[in-house]
Amino acid sequence: MDEKYMKIALEEAKVSYRNGDVPVGAVVVCDNKIISTAHNQKEENKNAVMHAEIIAISKACEELKTWHLENCTIYVTLEPCLMCAGAMIQSRIGKLVYATSNEKFGYVESISNVLNNKNNNHHPVIVTNICQEESQKLLKSFFKDKRN
Amino acid sequence: MDEKYMKIALEEAKVSYRNGDVPVGAVVVCDNKIISTAHNQKEENKNAVMHAEIIAISKACEELKTWHLENCTIYVTLEPCLMCAGAMIQSRIGKLVYATSNEKFGYVESISNVLNNKNNNHHPVIVTNICQEESQKLLKSFFKDKRN
């Protein structure tokens, strides 16, 4: 099931890629129903907060008419940054599933794990390495294109 | 000058208060010009990401047509949470000025300082305790009202 939703997140990531944005996609799921999908639009919209996760969480809140996403899972193709990890605490998202780590900017396992801080009032379940290879390939190809 | 802009942020915080949201306001300033103002709308809009800082940064990016806010200062009436501290790194905001600390959820001095992590690709200047008493009074009054 995780692979199924992550593949949809990867399709979203490809939209970012085509728009010149780092390919990251996100999908919010509740009771086996897709609530929202989003892709990274930071460059496309010239907007610092428009990471896939922020948009997907915002759209899910709108759709469900609540900021409480305890019963939701977010699928992301890349380990979240500080801002997006924070959005997961703010929304009390039940579960975070991501495809691959982000050594430079990831704040769930790479730089540190801000989600397991005992001071947080919420601690989502974390699952990693779902469709890892596919996401890594997409990212590598994007950055190779950028250098050329 | 810091007091002048913080007082505008405090007026924004009062809008949140009236709407039943934790009173937090934010103002983004560039070259002594106000670029955006915002208040916390998490409860009002039932949206987990609608903290004052996220909205103010997003509006500033729209206004300036760039996600690079290196030349901007953000004034906030409360120490930023994890998500909002992350948004400051994402936008590379030049300077953060806040009124008072947030012992429970603040990630700039209270729980930890995520903004000074050497792995971040940006480190804003940080100024604290501007109009501290006014902001504290507003917050205390809000939570007292909530309990009653």
Side-chain angles (χ1 to χ4, degrees):
Chain A
M1 210 53 142
D2 283 348
E3 278 81 2
K4 175 185 150 186
Y5 294 121
M6 192 62 84
K7 281 183 191 304
I8 298 166
L10 281 162
E11 288 308 308
E12 285 291 322
K14 289 173 192 168
V15 181
S16 300
Y17 194 136
R18 289 195 289 274
N19 293 339
D21 266 296
V22 178
V24 183
V27 174
V28 174
V29 174
C30 185
D31 296 331
N32 286 321
K33 203 186 137 198
I34 293 175
I35 307 300
S36 65
T37 61
H39 59 275
N40 176 26
Q41 304 183 24
K42 187 172 178 177
E43 298 291 345
E44 183 190 355
N45 281 327
K46 299 178 173 43
N47 192 318
V49 306
M50 289 211 175
H51 277 186
E53 300 97 307
I54 296 286
I55 302 169
I57 287 172
S58 182
K59 284 166 78 174
C61 291
E62 277 175 37
E63 185 63 27
L64 299 173
K65 296 181 177 47
T66 177
W67 60 257
H68 290 269
L69 304 184
E70 283 93 340
N71 298 323
C72 296
T73 297
I74 188 164
Y75 294 85
V76 198
T77 61
L78 186 63
E79 180 188 357
C81 75
L82 195 58
M83 174 178 72
C84 295
M88 286 161 204
I89 294 171
Q90 286 303 320
S91 62
R92 300 192 189 163
I93 201 122
K95 189 174 161 186
L96 159 67
V97 183
Y98 62 88
T100 191
S101 62
N102 183 351
E103 280 180 31
K104 283 180 82 173
F105 303 113
Y107 265 92
V108 179
E109 61 171 300
S110 297
I111 295 176
S112 70
N113 182 353
V114 290
L115 293 180
N116 74 355
N117 191 308
K118 65 175 172 34
N119 293 287
N120 297 340
N121 59 355
H122 177 72
H123 297 91
V125 173
I126 302 171
V127 175
T128 65
N129 299 348
I130 303 296
C131 306
Q132 184 180 27
E133 210 177 314
E134 251 176 289
S135 181
Q136 283 179 347
K137 266 188 191 169
L138 202 60
L139 287 157
K140 275 182 190 161
S141 168
F142 176 82
F143 287 112
K144 197 179 162 197
D145 283 0
K146 280 279 241 189
R147 282 191 299 272
N148 295 338
Chain B
M1 211 53 143
D2 282 348
E3 278 83 2
K4 175 185 150 185
Y5 294 121
M6 192 61 84
K7 281 183 191 302
I8 297 166
L10 282 162
E11 288 307 308
E12 285 291 322
K14 289 173 192 170
V15 180
S16 300
Y17 194 135
R18 287 195 291 273
N19 294 338
D21 266 297
V22 178
V24 183
V27 174
V28 174
V29 173
C30 186
D31 296 332
N32 286 320
K33 203 187 136 198
I34 293 174
I35 307 301
S36 64
T37 61
H39 59 275
N40 176 26
Q41 304 183 23
K42 187 171 177 178
E43 298 291 344
E44 183 189 353
N45 281 328
K46 299 177 174 44
N47 191 316
V49 306
M50 290 211 174
H51 275 186
E53 301 97 308
I54 296 286
I55 302 168
I57 287 172
S58 182
K59 284 164 80 174
C61 292
E62 278 176 37
E63 184 64 27
L64 299 173
K65 296 180 175 48
T66 177
W67 60 257
H68 290 269
L69 303 185
E70 284 93 339
N71 297 324
C72 296
T73 298
I74 188 164
Y75 294 86
V76 199
T77 60
L78 186 63
E79 181 187 357
C81 75
L82 197 57
M83 173 178 73
C84 295
M88 287 163 204
I89 294 170
Q90 286 302 321
S91 62
R92 301 193 188 162
I93 201 122
K95 189 175 161 186
L96 158 67
V97 183
Y98 62 88
T100 193
S101 61
N102 183 351
E103 279 180 31
K104 284 180 81 172
F105 303 113
Y107 264 92
V108 179
E109 62 170 300
S110 297
I111 294 176
S112 70
N113 182 353
V114 291
L115 293 180
N116 74 355
N117 192 308
K118 66 176 174 28
N119 294 287
N120 297 339
N121 60 355
H122 177 72
H123 298 92
V125 173
I126 301 170
V127 175
T128 64
N129 298 350
I130 303 295
C131 305
Q132 185 180 26
E133 210 178 313
E134 250 176 288
S135 181
Q136 283 179 347
K137 266 188 193 170
L138 204 58
L139 288 156
K140 273 182 194 164
S141 168
F142 176 81
F143 287 111
K144 197 180 160 196
D145 282 3
K146 279 279 237 190
R147 281 191 301 272
N148 295 341

